[in-house]
Amino acid sequence: APRRAPAAFADDAPRTDPRAKTAKARLRDLATSEPGMGVADRNALERCANVLTSAPFFLCGRDVLRRAAAEKQRRIELDWRDRGLGLHTTRVHDSLPPMNHEKMRRLGWALVGVGVAAAAYHLAPRSKRALRTTLRRVDYTAIAVASMAASDAYGDAVGALPTHRVRLPRVVTENVTIATAAKFPLLVSAAHCALSEAAFYRGARSGRRAGGVQVERAWREHVAYAAAAGFFFVAEEVWPDFPLLHAAWHVTGAAAMRTGTTCAFGEHVPASPG
């Protein structure tokens, strides 16, 4: 007669295979910051789709990095003009209020990190459970770090951050940020996404950014994309056998980020310095 597997291994099977769990259990694991190895990448088609749809996060990061470089150059040329040095170009824009290009740059690189982490996770074979579990946590941590960078950059851009804050050494804040994001990635992401949404709304309504009607339209598009991204994120856990839900989450999430960037930073993108 065939030998039965030890009870310990039988009990471990539902915990290691997320598809053996109920949808409620999978959602509970996410809420308690235990993402596991995930249900994505069932076959070659889904794996290819998930890797390819990681690319929009690179594009979002590149867009923000271009904006940061252009904002830095604009601030330099405004300073030159105000000092009467005569070294500025004729394309310096006074209509846009100053933005923190360092925060924009951190956000840009954080979005690139999201793309790298997502691609690495989806390229990992499903047979390597421990590796996929680790990479999925890295993926969620990258999203949490990007969400924190986003709420900081977007909030600063629309004047939604408090002007009087306790200033801590940067090495302290960075270490605390990464440690918190690694321990509670989903909760950190949710909290800072809510702060970013408030900044997007304020940016669309305040009229501080150039673009006017275009920015308001971008905010309406952002709301639609963000709602779709939230739906696909949950739907993947509820209906794990439905194809391409994770890829749809990638696409709508990146689109929500792109339109949100327009809400906070404006429609106009100055040319980067050559």
Side-chain angles (χ1 to χ4, degrees), residues 72-141:
K72 180 179 180 180
Q73 182 69 12
R74 186 175 74 95
R75 295 289 295 276
I76 291 173
E77 294 190 1
L78 284 172
D79 181 60
W80 287 344
R81 187 196 63 186
D82 293 343
R83 293 159 116 192
L85 298 179
L87 300 174
H88 65 279
T89 69
T90 58
R91 295 181 297 175
V92 179
H93 293 272
D94 285 322
S95 58
L96 294 174
M99 292 179 278
N100 190 317
H101 61 86
E102 284 294 331
K103 291 183 178 181
M104 296 170 71
R105 188 172 63 85
R106 285 197 292 270
L107 172 59
W109 283 116
L111 290 173
V112 171
V114 170
V116 171
Y121 165 63
H122 293 298
L123 286 171
R126 288 191 61 84
S127 59
K128 304 292 185 180
R129 292 174 180 262
L131 176 62
R132 280 185 65 88
T133 299
T134 300
L135 288 177
R136 196 181 190 210
R137 178 167 285 278
V138 170
D139 184 22
Y140 273 52
T141 300

Side-chain angles (χ1 to χ4, degrees), residues 256-268:
M257 182 62 68
R258 178 66 181 85
T259 50
T261 296
T262 302
C263 294
F265 298 149
E267 181 72 24
H268 177 68

Side-chain angles (χ1 to χ4, degrees), residues 208-229:
R208 295 185 65 205
R209 302 289 140 199
V213 175
Q214 290 83 358
V215 173
E216 182 125 5
R217 184 177 67 245
W219 179 74
R220 291 195 295 267
E221 293 175 355
H222 167 77
V223 171
Y225 284 128

Side-chain angles (χ1 to χ4, degrees), residues 14 29 43 49 66 98 109 112 129 148 185 188 205 208-209:
D29 287 345
N43 50 51
R66 284 181 63 246
W109 283 116
V112 171
R129 292 174 180 262
M148 297 173 88
V188 169
R205 296 294 185 183
R208 295 185 65 205
R209 302 289 140 199

